[in-house]
Amino acid sequence: MASFLHLPNEIVSEIAGQVMPEDIENFSLTSHNVYAVALPLLEEHRELKKRYSAFANLEKAEFDGNRLEMSEFSANSTSIFAPGDSISTLLTEVLANQRVAPYIKELRFSESESMVPDPSNERHEHIPYTQEQTTLFKQTLSIYVLPSKLEKWIEVLESGAEDPIIYLLLILLPDLNSIKFEQCSNIAYDLQQMVQRIKTDCIPGIPILSHLERVNLQYDDYFGEVNRSRTDLTCPIDYLAFLATLPSLKSLYGQHIGTYGGPHDFSCLLPRSSNITDLGFKLCNLSLEQMGDLLQGLKALRTFHYISDTYYGEDGQEIESWNPAGMCKLLSKYAQQSLEVLDLRSKQKPVGPIQDLRNFAVLKELTLSFSIFQVPELGHWQILTSQLPVSIKKLVLHGLGSEKIPLLDLMRLIQEVVHFKPERFPSLEKLCLCSTLNLAGIIQVADKMREMCGGVGIEIWFTQEK
């Protein structure tokens, strides 16, 4: 019996054509002959990967400042997309070459503009469909849409709307891993209806978003004002509940999401039913009740970020919405045995001191605003060292070096941490102090701090906040 290495080149070529994109490079290394036969496919693989996977590793850009900003992305990436590429062009290319679809891992949508994976961050206007595109799209719709529903879909397509194009992409991109909505994209609101319509109007058994793991929602800061009258739109907080029901979703991040006192409906999210493990909000006006209703639906939350801001009422008075103690109480209730990374930050004065941190069983990384530990009758350092969980390995403190937190308090904090490390938090390895002011004052005592921390196995470093 002939071995694989002795198969005719025609059969090897046929086998190579069936290899998944992520495996073609390893397959081509099987032998010199296989490499020669698979070389055209290997070159195509590299070109498609370069063109369509530019955003494959984009997760939380523009969220917590620890990853590349979009303005920085263009300087670190290359792409052959040119301004004018639209989502219809993307669909045309997917239909023209069946090998394209597996390479598209992320889509990005913006208000009135559809974005294809393009690290140059160029805006891509929706352009009219050509006659050839319209014919191709009609043929594709006839394959997937039920005959009784087809006429309506074609009518929408001929109107120039992008909805049918997005429907088809959701159907034809089985490996779509991430979706990012920017500038309050209407598509973010419509996605729930799109998924439901595909289920009712298309042939049964089509997998929709079955591999979607990450969703990033970035609304405009004026969201509440411009859309408060839009009664046809899903409330943003309710939309979060829908996303949480997607079985494959693991990471959900939002910016400027809020209900501004309005009601919310989480009836679609059953207790401990969601697979989300990574959850984050930046500048979101969410109540503790809304947050609790969302957290109760998660099976095992591992990472939680909440970066707050100062909010003002109609009378111009500051609204006391920053309640880290209440937030920790909720997290302790719903994620006490699973939470590994916690990030709570705000420039706003907290409603009360933080509590319940010691309840977390596996918490390893902690990023906090130092004001969280502010209690008039006690020192910051006393509250901090009494709250750190035994499992903590990395501690990052923001808002240091201000007039409210003098260097003397900072030195006492370090002394307290060093003193109690062996007994209360033996796993602590790294301590980062982030100052809102010039680091000159801290540098005066930096060597002393490093010496103290180094003696108990803690690496300490200092950074200046933007």
Side-chain angles (χ1 to χ4, degrees):
M1 179 180 297
S3 66
F4 174 78
L5 297 179
H6 295 90
L7 290 176
N9 288 346
E10 292 79 7
I11 297 180
V12 174
S13 179
E14 185 67 26
I15 295 173
Q18 303 301 316
V19 174
M20 296 299 293
E22 59 268 22
D23 297 324
I24 188 65
E25 292 184 358
N26 289 335
F27 177 80
S28 66
L29 298 177
T30 304
S31 70
H32 291 290
N33 183 60
V34 170
Y35 181 86
V37 173
L39 185 57
L41 288 175
L42 186 60
E43 292 176 344
E44 181 192 47
H45 160 74
R46 290 168 178 166
E47 183 62 28
L48 292 177
K49 185 176 180 180
K50 175 183 176 182
R51 180 176 176 87
Y52 296 106
S53 300
F55 276 67
N57 296 320
L58 183 63
E59 185 173 353
K60 288 172 271 188
E62 295 182 337
F63 183 78
D64 58 7
N66 294 326
R67 296 171 186 267
L68 288 175
E69 299 282 346
M70 295 306 302
S71 59
E72 295 173 317
F73 216 86
S74 60
N76 295 277
S77 306
T78 57
S79 173
I80 58 175
F81 274 100
D85 283 337
S86 66
I87 204 165
S88 58
T89 302
L90 180 63
L91 177 60
T92 303
E93 295 180 358
V94 169
L95 294 173
N97 184 354
Q98 63 178 355
R99 294 181 63 83
V100 166
Y103 289 89
I104 301 174
K105 305 297 184 182
E106 176 163 344
L107 289 180
R108 179 157 50 95
F109 300 101
S110 182
E111 177 68 17
S112 74
E113 299 166 329
S114 298
M115 311 292 286
V116 292
D118 179 7
S120 68
N121 201 34
E122 296 286 352
R123 298 298 181 187
H124 302 284
E125 301 288 349
H126 171 50
I127 57 178
Y129 311 131
T130 65
Q131 184 60 48
E132 292 77 10
Q133 285 179 320
T134 302
T135 301
L136 179 61
F137 297 160
K138 285 181 179 180
Q139 293 174 346
T140 308
L141 287 173
S142 67
I143 296 174
Y144 294 101
V145 180
L146 295 172
S148 59
K149 307 288 186 178
L150 182 59
E151 183 178 351
K152 182 63 177 177
W153 281 56
I154 290 179
E155 180 181 333
V156 176
L157 174 69
E158 291 178 337
S159 72
E162 285 192 309
D163 292 37
I165 308 304
I166 299 172
Y167 290 146
L168 287 175
L169 283 175
L170 294 180
I171 293 172
L172 296 170
L173 300 181
D175 297 313
L176 189 62
N177 179 264
S178 177
I179 298 180
K180 183 178 181 181
F181 299 102
E182 297 178 331
Q183 299 180 6
C184 191
S185 169
N186 288 335
I187 298 174
Y189 295 109
D190 297 336
L191 185 61
Q192 184 174 359
Q193 286 72 29
M194 288 180 178
V195 171
Q196 186 58 39
R197 189 170 182 185
I198 290 174
K199 291 180 179 180
T200 58
D201 289 11
C202 296
I203 58 178
I206 295 178
I208 305 297
L209 303 178
S210 57
H211 289 82
L212 184 65
E213 294 186 358
R214 301 192 301 269
V215 171
N216 191 319
L217 302 167
Q218 294 189 6
Y219 295 99
D220 286 327
D221 55 1
Y222 51 82
F223 165 77
E225 298 299 327
V226 297
N227 284 317
R228 193 176 295 180
S229 61
R230 289 288 301 276
T231 57
D232 59 313
L233 297 180
T234 302
C235 177
I237 192 69
D238 296 345
Y239 182 63
L240 293 179
F242 157 70
L243 290 173
T245 64
L246 298 176
S248 59
L249 197 67
K250 297 179 181 179
S251 177
L252 178 58
Y253 277 74
Q255 178 171 305
H256 289 124
I257 296 176
T259 56
Y260 299 87
H264 66 283
D265 179 11
F266 276 14
S267 57
C268 65
L269 182 60
L270 300 177
R272 298 187 63 79
S273 60
S274 174
N275 293 318
I276 290 177
T277 59
D278 187 10
L279 184 65
F281 299 100
K282 179 179 181 181
L283 312 181
C284 294
N285 184 21
L286 306 181
S287 68
L288 288 179
E289 179 186 3
Q290 294 163 344
M291 187 64 68
D293 287 346
L294 181 60
L295 291 175
Q296 62 85 32
L298 311 186
K299 293 179 183 178
L301 183 65
R302 295 180 181 176
T303 302
F304 183 78
H305 299 262
Y306 196 90
I307 303 174
S308 182
D309 199 1
T310 303
Y311 299 98
Y312 298 92
E314 295 181 357
D315 57 359
Q317 296 298 312
E318 182 176 325
I319 300 174
E320 291 189 346
S321 58
W322 174 231
N323 190 346
M327 197 80 68
C328 280
K329 187 174 182 179
L330 286 175
L331 291 168
S332 179
K333 180 178 180 180
Y334 296 114
Q336 184 180 116
Q337 301 299 319
S338 61
L339 194 66
E340 298 178 2
V341 178
L342 175 60
D343 180 1
L344 297 176
R345 282 181 276 160
S346 178
K347 295 180 181 179
Q348 191 179 14
K349 181 180 177 180
V351 175
I354 201 166
Q355 300 175 20
D356 300 307
L357 281 177
R358 288 187 63 84
N359 294 340
F360 294 103
V362 293
L363 189 60
K364 296 180 176 63
E365 295 187 22
L366 190 57
T367 301
L368 301 169
S369 293
F370 201 36
S371 60
I372 287 175
F373 305 102
Q374 192 169 351
V375 180
E377 61 272 17
L378 294 174
H380 298 76
W381 59 90
Q382 292 173 283
I383 303 297
L384 171 62
T385 53
S386 65
Q387 280 292 317
L388 289 181
V390 68
S391 57
I392 193 69
K393 291 186 175 182
K394 179 180 178 180
L395 175 63
V396 182
L397 297 176
H398 287 256
L400 299 167
S402 69
E403 65 279 0
K404 296 181 180 179
I405 308 170
L407 287 178
L408 180 60
D409 279 10
L410 198 54
M411 283 298 296
R412 288 176 178 172
L413 164 67
I414 300 300
Q415 291 170 351
E416 201 83 357
V417 169
V418 170
H419 176 72
F420 285 109
K421 184 205 172 184
E423 175 187 350
R424 295 184 181 176
F425 27 87
S427 299
L428 183 61
E429 300 173 347
K430 296 182 179 181
L431 174 62
C432 179
L433 304 180
C434 304
S435 173
T436 54
L437 301 179
N438 192 290
L439 292 176
I442 295 181
I443 291 175
Q444 297 175 14
V445 294
D447 290 340
K448 180 64 176 177
M449 291 181 180
R450 289 193 179 96
E451 181 182 351
M452 294 166 58
C453 290
V456 292
I458 299 177
E459 177 187 357
I460 185 172
W461 74 99
F462 310 90
T463 62
Q464 185 171 355
E465 298 183 53
K466 294 181 180 179

